[in-house]
Amino acid sequence: MLTNRRDLLKLSSALALVAGAGLNAPMLAQSSATLVYATGTDASSLDPQFSSDLPTIRMVRAIHETLVSADKGEIEGVLATEWSVGEDKTTWTFKLRPNVKFHDGTPFTSKAVKYSFERLVDPATGSPHKSSGNIIASIDTPDDLTVVIRTSSPFAPFLAQLTAYSMSILSPSAASVPVKEYGQKPIGTGAFKLGSWTPGEKLTLVANDAYWGTKPKLGTVEVRVVPEDSARVLMLLSGQAHVVSNIPPALAPRVESTANAGLLREQSFRSIYVAMNVKMEPFDDIKVRQAISLAIDKDALIKGVMRGMATASGSFDSPTIAGSVNYPLDPFDLAKAKQLLAEAGYPDGFSTDFYIPTGRYTNDRQLGEAIQAQLARVGIKVNLVSPEFATYQAMLRGKDKIAFYMLGKGNSTGDLDFTLNLVRRTGGSINYNNYSNPKVDELIAQQRIEVNAEKRNAMLKDIQELMQKDFGSFVLFYDNQIYGVAKSVGGLEVYPNEFINFANASLKA
């Protein structure tokens, strides 16, 4: 990560050397039709039913497809061409796309849909996303291109739920592969299939020549794992990479000013937030939680650390998602923060560990350091802790090991139920700070079965009002997606749910 002036000077020196060697030379040759994508972290398991981190999900979704998609906002058919719901609001009939084959040559049929969803909810599979399919009561396959799914009750976000990566369709041949091995041998219907994979170094996606849709213009996407932001930027500017992720705001002007590359910016659904475990001292006191929010100047973080390349909002889910209430950022008030700490019994503050990721989100380490300095002004002495991200996630899942932390949360379905069920419901799988409110739980259950959009949105508003009052976490901002892209690249698509679509990308000669 670029954390100080020394790093910036080091990069500048390196760029000068590159310039001397021909910085403005043509990008990588078109002859191989290979696009090089440099990212900060590697994928983990390529099994959609076990994926959880964004770098992995991007690869999973290049290989696998779902029945429907919400990438562009509206629900669109992918492996399903049309669908309808019966008068009982629980019987869904999907007509499937004909003449589709999996990467192993197996025909795509209704039996593949049935297999995939039953595998997801099977306790023997052990998927952490099992709850995504729990609403399904039964699946019938009257013919190869028709699947009838019955839900246990009316379920308003059902179509949105089907867009989730965990609901991807796997080849039935996966049944012959041990669950733990499928993540290294994925078989989907996507525009790309897995070529090779050297964990921690490089993964290749190879064009699926038998793809049912428009064939990819690229032969290969080579994904290189490059943790250092400065190294990724150097790869872009020197022509060693065509696309790089997470351009640091401090280096964005340098990328924009170069002749052979530019920036691709897209807002995202991802909120960067601070949370406190409401069952662990001293954060079990709401006054302490409120004081911490008041002591953090979010506007200064956006303007300073993020250099304006973030979107301000106090809503836990992006206001662009239907039903989300657009709250203002929590105010900055040091005097009030000190008063609340004194009322809570901490007039001189206290010491605490603050867990942050490093290299997972744009400028995450710098944000942690800035928050550390801001909290010191009210007597809170922060010790920054940043374990390797997989370890960090494992500790969070324990729900009793980390009391105070910063994290990012996206929304793959574009529906509030995704967050509410996983992050805010009592016992939700990523409810890491043990938030619990019986009324919120009741409303979450009710909004799921309310098919009237107006009534459902009213329930969603009530839920958000209650969450704001309980104050177990607060949003710093919404992360903007900032990619460096070579001028030779065309057709690359990035969506608010943070999926990168390489299928329509091309390289100029």
Side-chain angles (χ1 to χ4, degrees):
M1 296 289 291
L2 288 172
T3 57
N4 51 42
R5 179 173 174 82
R6 182 187 62 190
D7 287 334
L8 289 170
L9 290 173
K10 184 167 61 176
L11 176 63
S12 298
S13 299
L15 290 176
L17 290 173
V18 172
L23 174 64
N24 295 319
M27 292 292 292
L28 299 179
Q30 169 74 19
S31 58
S32 64
T34 295
L35 182 146
V36 177
Y37 166 53
T39 183
T41 54
D42 195 10
S44 52
S45 169
L46 295 177
D47 186 331
Q49 297 175 4
F50 285 85
S51 303
S52 58
D53 60 283
L54 185 59
T56 298
I57 293 165
R58 286 174 176 157
M59 298 301 102
V60 161
R61 291 207 52 207
I63 295 169
H64 302 85
E65 293 178 305
T66 47
L67 293 180
V68 292
S69 165
D71 289 336
K72 299 177 181 178
E74 300 295 325
I75 299 291
E76 298 178 329
V78 183
L79 292 178
T81 56
E82 57 183 277
W83 51 89
S84 61
V85 60
E87 292 183 4
D88 61 1
K89 305 298 182 184
T90 64
T91 304
W92 293 80
T93 301
F94 294 85
K95 294 297 182 180
L96 306 181
R97 190 173 297 279
N99 304 316
V100 176
K101 290 187 176 182
F102 287 96
H103 299 155
D104 61 357
T106 304
F108 163 69
T109 68
S110 57
K111 289 181 175 58
V113 178
K114 181 178 174 68
Y115 163 72
S116 299
F117 292 171
E118 289 182 345
R119 179 184 188 265
L120 174 65
V121 301
D122 186 348
T125 302
S127 169
H129 302 299
K130 179 177 179 289
S131 62
S132 298
N134 280 346
I135 192 65
I136 297 174
S138 66
I139 304 175
D140 294 325
T141 55
D143 60 58
D144 281 352
L145 296 179
T146 305
V147 61
V148 179
I149 302 175
R150 292 179 176 83
T151 58
S152 54
S153 63
F155 187 59
F158 185 58
L159 285 177
Q161 190 90 331
L162 292 179
T163 70
Y165 54 86
S166 57
M167 307 298 283
S168 296
I169 309 303
L170 286 59
S171 171
S173 65
S176 63
V177 179
V179 170
K180 291 183 179 180
E181 293 182 15
Y182 180 83
Q184 285 73 49
K185 304 174 183 178
I187 302 172
T189 59
F192 292 93
K193 53 189 176 181
L194 180 64
S196 60
W197 187 11
T198 304
E201 296 181 17
K202 183 173 69 174
L203 180 153
T204 60
L205 298 171
V206 180
N208 175 13
D209 293 333
Y211 186 55
W212 59 265
T214 303
K215 305 294 189 296
K217 298 178 177 65
L218 299 168
T220 305
V221 176
E222 184 177 290
V223 184
R224 296 186 188 174
V225 182
V226 184
E228 286 292 327
D229 290 347
S230 56
R232 291 199 304 277
V233 171
L234 182 57
M235 287 179 67
L236 175 70
L237 299 183
S238 64
Q240 298 175 66
H242 300 95
V243 180
V244 302
S245 66
N246 291 359
I247 296 292
L251 291 180
R254 178 68 182 87
V255 175
E256 283 188 303
S257 66
T258 192
N260 66 335
L263 294 181
L264 188 160
R265 305 188 196 189
E266 176 65 59
Q267 288 193 6
S268 77
F269 292 151
R270 181 166 301 278
S271 58
I272 303 299
Y273 67 98
V274 171
M276 295 144 285
N277 194 316
V278 299
K279 289 188 177 181
M280 299 177 71
E281 294 182 352
F283 307 104
D284 54 346
D285 190 326
I286 191 172
K287 290 183 178 181
V288 171
R289 303 197 298 267
Q290 291 173 328
I292 286 175
S293 180
L294 291 169
I296 294 176
D297 188 343
K298 294 91 173 165
D299 189 56
L301 296 179
I302 293 171
K303 291 178 179 177
V305 178
M306 301 305 294
R307 302 204 175 191
M309 295 184 181
T311 302
S313 177
S315 307
F316 200 61
D317 265 280
S318 170
T320 61
I321 295 176
S324 179
V325 179
N326 189 6
Y327 294 103
L329 282 175
D330 292 330
F332 171 58
D333 190 333
L334 286 178
K336 182 65 174 178
K338 291 177 181 178
Q339 176 189 329
L340 288 172
L341 285 174
E343 292 175 2
Y346 301 97
D348 299 319
F350 56 87
S351 299
T352 183
D353 288 339
F354 182 39
Y355 282 76
I356 62 169
T358 296
R360 176 64 184 84
Y361 311 112
T362 303
N363 281 3
D364 44 16
R365 180 76 190 188
Q366 293 91 323
L367 285 168
E369 292 170 349
I371 290 171
Q372 180 186 47
Q374 290 183 351
L375 291 180
R377 291 182 291 189
V378 293
I380 299 177
K381 302 174 184 64
V382 167
N383 174 46
L384 295 179
V385 183
S386 186
E388 191 274 328
F389 196 66
T391 302
Y392 187 20
Q393 287 183 306
M395 294 177 70
L396 286 170
R397 284 194 290 269
K399 301 184 182 181
D400 62 356
K401 296 179 176 62
I402 295 180
F404 184 33
Y405 60 93
M406 183 177 72
L407 202 63
K409 183 206 68 65
N411 189 316
S412 64
T413 68
D415 189 281
L416 285 187
D417 183 74
F418 180 85
T419 291
L420 297 177
N421 186 51
L422 297 178
V423 187
R424 286 295 178 248
R425 178 179 55 81
T426 301
S429 62
I430 51 179
N431 183 352
Y432 300 136
N433 70 323
N434 287 310
Y435 175 79
S436 180
N437 182 321
K439 182 60 177 177
V440 168
D441 292 342
E442 178 185 339
L443 286 170
I444 289 175
Q446 290 177 2
Q447 62 85 28
R448 299 191 112 195
I449 63 175
E450 180 51 71
V451 294
N452 180 288
E454 186 175 344
K455 292 180 180 179
R456 182 177 181 235
N457 282 341
M459 292 179 185
L460 293 172
K461 181 179 180 180
D462 289 342
I463 293 171
Q464 292 167 85
E465 291 288 345
L466 288 168
M467 294 193 311
Q468 290 290 109
K469 292 176 182 177
D470 291 339
F471 221 88
S473 61
F474 55 89
V475 172
L476 300 175
F477 52 79
Y478 289 96
D479 206 11
N480 288 355
Q481 302 179 76
I482 309 174
Y483 291 88
V485 182
K487 295 287 178 67
S488 59
V489 176
L492 185 72
E493 296 173 300
V494 177
Y495 304 128
N497 61 11
E498 299 173 281
F499 173 53
I500 306 174
N501 185 6
F502 290 105
N504 298 321
S506 62
L507 283 175
K508 298 176 185 177

